[in-house]
Amino acid sequence: MFGQIFNVMQTEIRLTEDGSHTLHVAEIDECYHSTHGAMRESSHIFIDAGLKSFEREGGREAALMQREIKVLEIGFGTGLNAYLTLLEGKNQGKKIHYTALELYPLAVDKALQLNYAGMFGDGSGVFERIHLSGWGEDLALTSYFTLRKVNADFTVYELQETFDVIYFDAFSPEKQPEMWTEDGFRKIYEHADDGAILTTYCAKGVVRRAMQSAGFVVERLPGPPGKREILRGRRIIPGRTS
């Protein structure tokens, strides 16, 4: 099992245009989310274009009624994507197993200052449990959502299972070029089930070409406010053309 690293970044909380928090990392001068709206960005890219799209269009629709949806997140960050996925699973009555890889975990005290649960009027404490949960083990946060956080470097970590939905949410290619390579996307492709969907906020040509070379069928989609386009890749089921 990959060893515990815990390289914690120093961050500053900032308010985005939709009222939700993001974090700014001074040492790389980059925010975790769009300043046009962190909640809006995550919902648009990862929930609507990713999870919901898989539920509507992914393979083995009948089987999905009987088993967990397996989600992989590259870049756990603030836990916002995991939290929104948990809420969506509850709303849709879907069981979800969520694996998140993060090399630079947030300090827990900083994560607990984020206002995401308050924006939903959620007093359940589940967002806090997302961050208080241990690393490297499965934790059933609810009867429908199981979380596994892995403190690891994606570029060397060996995935052990296959996934239905992948959220690729690393820092930008300018700040973490080693994360956005053809080899990295090929590793994900090889651990993606038929019909799997990968979404990312980055629509740069070099990223699109790396995804395509790895095997994904890639499309550009309209982005959230402040971003013209995003990318969505699919591992097409044999015999399907879309």
Side-chain angles (χ1 to χ4, degrees), residues 181-190 192-196 198 207-219 232-237 240:
T181 66
E182 180 182 331
D183 286 345
F185 286 115
R186 182 175 292 109
K187 175 164 63 175
I188 294 173
Y189 184 84
E190 290 172 351
D193 266 324
D194 288 338
L198 180 154
V207 173
R208 176 177 54 82
R209 290 188 292 273
M211 290 171 62
Q212 290 173 328
S213 295
F216 287 101
V217 175
V218 182
E219 59 185 326
R232 179 167 63 198
R234 286 186 171 87
R235 177 166 179 151
I236 299 298
I237 301 171
R240 284 182 56 174

Side-chain angles (χ1 to χ4, degrees), residues 124-142:
S124 68
V126 70
F127 179 74
E128 289 81 359
R129 292 202 299 277
I130 285 173
H131 286 282
L132 292 170
S133 63
W135 291 78
E137 58 187 5
D138 286 356
L139 177 66
L141 294 179
T142 70

Side-chain angles (χ1 to χ4, degrees), residues 55-197:
E55 291 172 352
R56 290 191 303 267
E57 305 169 21
R60 302 170 300 174
E61 288 87 348
L64 289 177
M65 302 300 294
Q66 305 298 325
R67 68 164 182 84
E68 291 181 318
I69 297 174
K70 296 175 291 182
V71 178
L72 171 66
E73 180 178 20
I74 307 299
F76 180 67
T78 64
L80 177 57
N81 295 335
Y83 180 56
L84 293 176
T85 301
L86 182 152
L87 295 178
E88 177 63 19
K90 178 181 179 181
N91 290 339
Q92 299 300 322
K94 300 286 188 181
K95 286 191 173 183
I96 295 172
H97 188 284
Y98 196 101
T99 300
L101 303 185
E102 177 59 70
L103 180 58
Y104 302 105
L106 289 183
V108 172
D109 60 342
K110 181 62 66 69
L112 297 184
Q113 297 175 48
L114 298 169
N115 67 352
Y116 306 141
M119 294 188 71
F120 287 97
D122 179 10
S124 68
V126 70
F127 179 74
E128 289 81 359
R129 292 202 299 277
I130 285 173
H131 286 282
L132 292 170
S133 63
W135 291 78
E137 58 187 5
D138 286 356
L139 177 66
L141 294 179
T142 70
S143 60
Y144 52 85
F145 187 90
T146 298
L147 174 66
R148 171 179 285 261
K149 299 187 301 185
V150 182
N151 179 214
D153 181 345
F154 165 69
T155 64
V156 297
Y157 183 75
E158 294 185 8
L159 297 170
Q160 301 297 318
E161 57 187 308
T162 57
F163 301 92
D164 302 304
V165 181
I166 300 97
Y167 303 158
F168 201 92
D169 201 16
F171 286 118
S172 68
E174 292 80 10
K175 304 302 169 69
Q176 285 190 311
E178 70 279 4
M179 298 288 287
W180 301 84
T181 66
E182 180 182 331
D183 286 345
F185 286 115
R186 182 175 292 109
K187 175 164 63 175
I188 294 173
Y189 184 84
E190 290 172 351
H191 288 83
D193 266 324
D194 288 338
I197 286 177

